[in-house]
């Protein structure tokens, strides 16, 4: 073997010969300087990798090989590891040597069910035909949490509701590519109406078990979709010694769901106070908020209001750590979200151990959904009766139904938890003129489709399971006689195919094969059922386990279409 020159670290292959540089991609001075400028005085912590990748993507519109090399130098992390993380998330554009970077402007057109019903496919085609591809890139994208204003697209970080080609052209002409922050309740307004008084009182002389009992008495359950009794989690986390954390799951990626965005864009402090009450209850040393990148206005609101909380002395600087997702539906699964918070690919963990014991950085972690914490604050301010005093069809409580599709007034409708689909449609102003009710999705694509004649089931936890479905995040999409159940199911499976993290074969390959089989004029129902059963039995997480629901329910309730 050739000797190593200890002065330069270069292998010599003969007298006066050899490499001038070490093997591999060389560190470029300009790229390194740009990374140093972007990172500034931030700590070079491994868990901040995704935040740093956002800085690069936002500044340059892509992530070059040279910038990956420079990031590797600064963070002392292998280039392959950085590439693996960056290439996992849809919102990072990794550009290798010799490749052309994407155009300066990207338009993402939502292709989820509500937007497809509203003509998103035709809109995307019209944009592709009318735009210069060297200047503007048009992509299809999963749900952006704005189903009530479908079709929706995002130009830069500006969301255009009820989108048309004319609106896009006007936005480009005005260089209107930044998030529009709506009017919302600021810290001063919230505190003038008694906000944070409960938190301060609890911190001074509160009993966490009494608060836990209040939350249990209210009947609050996890509103991200799982429906686990909220107060019960607190005891699980507190039972573990040492450092504990709280993580807020704000990755509201289930198509048809937009309730969390609705509340955060109006009353962010009700959520923040609920979060701080829960963090106090489990003695969390830090609170992480993981917010989806599709909500740029919410990210801006939270950054502003967290700074206001720090300035007011309500929280220590840095206690609330706001993290930005990067376009991966799978990060709505709690362990995948934790992987992402740690700066890794968002792949679900095997369980046990559960995150209440081994969560962020291996420490016990309390995970709650945004709306759940909104109700924690309301229950502590107004008492358990703000939820449990409402009763309908034998069910107690209230539900925030995200309603979209063929109704006159789509939006978030707060209704008794025992409401049926007819109550929900009625609250949303009834069916659109010329449309008659045919089918509905009770809780996002994971819940599949039910026919219109099954209209007397209370849309709540535990009431839908006997029918092979569930309420999930209460994302209700209403279909009419002008829609195809078969095409709707295919839309849902295409979403799962795109969003499978790929870690387990049953989900990765199963979703892909299902889409191919569902494109046939006549479905091979026996084969689809066999595939569905394999996915349910062997997938690692809820994505693969629930993906067959649209297939099974469409075959069961709409046999004439398949």
């Amino acid at each position: 073997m050739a000797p190593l020159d200890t002065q330069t670290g270069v292998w010599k292959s003969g007298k006066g010969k050899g490499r001038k540089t070490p093997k591999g991609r060389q560190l470029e001075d300009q790229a390194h300087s740009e990374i140093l400028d972007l990172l500034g005085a931030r700590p070079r912590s491994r868990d901040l990798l995704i935040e740093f990748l956002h800085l690069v993507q936002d500044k340059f519109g892509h992530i070059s090989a040279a910038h990956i090399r420079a990031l590797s130098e600064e963070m002392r992390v292998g280039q392959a590891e950085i590439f693996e993380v960056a290439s996992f998330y849809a919102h990072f554009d990794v550009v290798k040597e010799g490749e052309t970077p994407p155009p300066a402007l990207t338009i993402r057109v939502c292709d989820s069910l509500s937007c497809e019903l509203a003509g998103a496919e035709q809109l995307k085609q019209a944009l592709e035909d009318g735009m210069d591809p060297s200047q503007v890139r048009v992509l299809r994208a999963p749900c952006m949490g704005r189903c009530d204003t479908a079709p929706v697209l995002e130009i830069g970080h500006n969301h255009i509701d009820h989108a048309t080609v004319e609106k896009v052209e006007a936005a480009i002409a005005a260089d209107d590519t930044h998030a529009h922050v709506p009017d919302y309740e600021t810290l001063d307004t919230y505190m003038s109406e008694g906000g944070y008084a409960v938190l301060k009182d609890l911190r001074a002389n509160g009993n966490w078990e009494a608060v836990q009992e209040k939350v249990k008495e209210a009947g609050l359950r996890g509103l991200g979709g799982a429906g686990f009794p909220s107060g019960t989690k607190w005891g699980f986390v507190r039972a573990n010694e040492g450092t504990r954390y709280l993580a807020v799951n704000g990755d509201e990626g289930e198509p048809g769901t937009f309730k969390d965005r609705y509340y955060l864009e109006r009353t962010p402090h009700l959520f923040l106070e609920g979060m701080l009450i829960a963090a106090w209850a489990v003695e969390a040393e830090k609170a992480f908020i993981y917010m989806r990148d599709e909500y740029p206005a919410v990210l801006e609101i939270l950054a502003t209001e967290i700074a206001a909380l720090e300035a007011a002395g309500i929280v220590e600087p840095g206690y609330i750590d706001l993290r930005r997702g990067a376009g991966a539906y799978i990060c709505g699964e709690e362990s995948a979200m934790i992987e992402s918070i740690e700066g890794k690919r968002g792949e679900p963990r095997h369980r046990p151990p559960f995150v209440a014991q081994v969560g962020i950085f291996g420490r016990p972690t309390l995970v709650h959904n945004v709306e759940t914490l909104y109700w924690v604050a309301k229950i502590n301010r107004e008492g358990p009766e703000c939820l449990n005093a409402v009763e309908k069809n034998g069910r107690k409580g209230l539900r925030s139904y995200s309603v979209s599709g063929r109704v006159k007034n789509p939006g978030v409708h707060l209704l008794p938890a025992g409401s049926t689909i007819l109550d929900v449609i009625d609250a949303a102003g009834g069916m659109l003129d010329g449309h008659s009710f045919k089918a509905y999705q009770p809780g996002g694509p994971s819940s599949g489709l039910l026919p219109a004649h099954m209209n007397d089931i209370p849309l709540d936890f535990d009431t839908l399971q006997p029918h092979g479905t569930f309420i999930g995040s209460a994302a209700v999409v209403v279909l009419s006689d002008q829609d195809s159940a078969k095409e709707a199911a295919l839309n849902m499976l295409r979403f799962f195919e795109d969003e499978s993290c790929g870690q387990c074969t049953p989900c990765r390959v199963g979703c892909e094969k299902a889409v191919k089989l569902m494109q046939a004029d006549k479905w091979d129902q026996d084969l689809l059922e066999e595939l569905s059963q394999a996915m349910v039995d062997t997938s690692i997480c809820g994505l693969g386990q629930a993906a067959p629901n649209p297939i099974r329910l469409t075959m069961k309730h709409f046999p004439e279409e398949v």
Side-chain angles (χ1 to χ4, degrees), residues 224-246:
F228 192 83
S230 300
T232 307
K233 281 186 179 182
W234 298 3
F236 291 163
V237 176
R238 284 217 39 149
N240 297 286
E241 294 297 317
T243 304
R244 306 181 196 106
Y245 295 115
L246 177 141

Side-chain angles (χ1 to χ4, degrees), residues 407-410 413 423-432:
V407 292
K408 286 180 178 170
N409 300 318
H413 296 279
D423 297 322
V424 171
I425 291 172
D426 189 48
M431 297 294 294
L432 285 173

Side-chain angles (χ1 to χ4, degrees), residues 52-368:
F52 294 166
L53 289 169
H54 273 305
L55 293 175
V56 179
Q57 178 75 35
D58 289 347
K59 174 78 173 171
F60 300 103
H62 65 280
I63 297 166
S64 69
H67 285 132
I68 288 178
R69 173 68 182 88
L71 260 181
S72 169
E73 183 75 16
E74 276 304 295
M75 298 186 71
R76 317 310 294 167
V77 171
Q79 294 175 68
E81 195 172 330
I82 295 175
F83 175 81
E84 278 183 348
V85 172
S87 58
F88 180 85
Y89 296 94
H91 291 186
F92 295 139
D93 295 303
V94 180
V95 176
K96 300 174 187 174
E97 286 107 331
E99 289 184 347
T100 306
L105 198 57
T106 295
I107 298 173
R108 298 179 194 273
V109 183
C110 176
D111 70 349
S112 69
L113 183 55
S114 301
C115 283
E116 188 174 278
L117 296 177
E121 187 58 46
Q122 294 85 335
L123 174 65
K124 178 176 177 288
Q125 191 60 55
L127 289 168
E128 286 177 337
D129 294 344
M131 297 287 166
D132 178 357
S134 66
Q135 302 297 315
V136 180
R137 175 176 61 155
V138 182
L139 303 175
R140 68 185 186 91
C143 186
M144 297 175 183
R146 308 182 79 85
C147 321
D148 51 334
T149 56
V152 169
L153 58 78
E154 187 181 31
I155 177 164
H157 285 304
N158 174 20
H159 283 101
I160 296 182
D161 299 324
H162 304 296
T164 61
V165 173
E166 292 72 29
K167 286 184 178 180
V168 171
E169 288 170 343
I172 292 173
D175 194 26
D176 186 9
T177 59
H178 300 288
H180 291 223
V181 178
D183 291 332
Y184 64 90
E185 187 180 47
T186 61
L187 176 61
D188 290 344
T189 309
Y190 184 70
M191 289 185 73
S192 70
E193 295 170 0
Y196 293 105
V198 171
L199 175 69
K200 289 174 181 174
D201 183 50
L202 289 173
R203 283 174 170 175
N205 45 33
N207 177 342
W208 80 271
E209 288 173 313
V211 176
Q212 182 188 37
E213 277 310 307
K214 197 182 283 188
V215 170
K216 285 182 177 178
E217 188 188 335
L220 181 64
R221 292 172 65 172
L223 296 169
F228 192 83
S230 300
T232 307
K233 281 186 179 182
W234 298 3
F236 291 163
V237 176
R238 284 217 39 149
N240 297 286
E241 294 297 317
T243 304
R244 306 181 196 106
Y245 295 115
L246 177 141
V248 178
N249 192 337
D251 198 74
E252 187 177 47
E254 188 75 12
T257 317
F258 47 94
K259 60 186 176 61
D260 291 352
R261 177 185 65 80
Y262 176 87
Y263 288 120
L264 289 169
E265 287 186 349
R266 287 160 179 78
T267 53
H269 284 284
L270 209 49
F271 150 69
L272 287 166
E273 184 169 13
M275 179 191 77
L276 292 172
I277 289 170
W280 162 82
V282 298
E283 296 179 338
E285 294 199 11
K286 195 165 193 169
F288 293 86
I289 302 176
Y290 187 87
M291 186 54 56
R292 65 188 308 223
D293 198 32
E294 289 85 349
Y295 288 175
V298 169
L299 281 157
E300 204 168 312
I301 289 168
L302 288 175
T304 302
E305 296 310 307
I306 290 166
L309 286 175
E310 291 175 351
I314 294 169
V315 293
E316 292 289 318
Y319 179 78
I320 303 173
D321 194 338
L322 179 60
R323 295 297 180 90
R324 180 177 161 192
Y329 163 74
I330 192 64
C331 292
E333 195 278 337
E334 61 180 9
S335 65
M337 173 193 70
I338 286 172
E339 289 286 295
S340 194
I341 287 172
E342 293 180 358
K344 303 172 192 167
R345 295 162 66 91
E347 294 178 340
R349 297 175 179 177
H350 291 270
R351 290 174 290 183
F354 295 94
V355 300
Q357 300 163 294
V358 182
I360 298 172
F361 309 134
R363 300 305 309 159
T365 303
L366 174 66
V367 178
H368 274 315

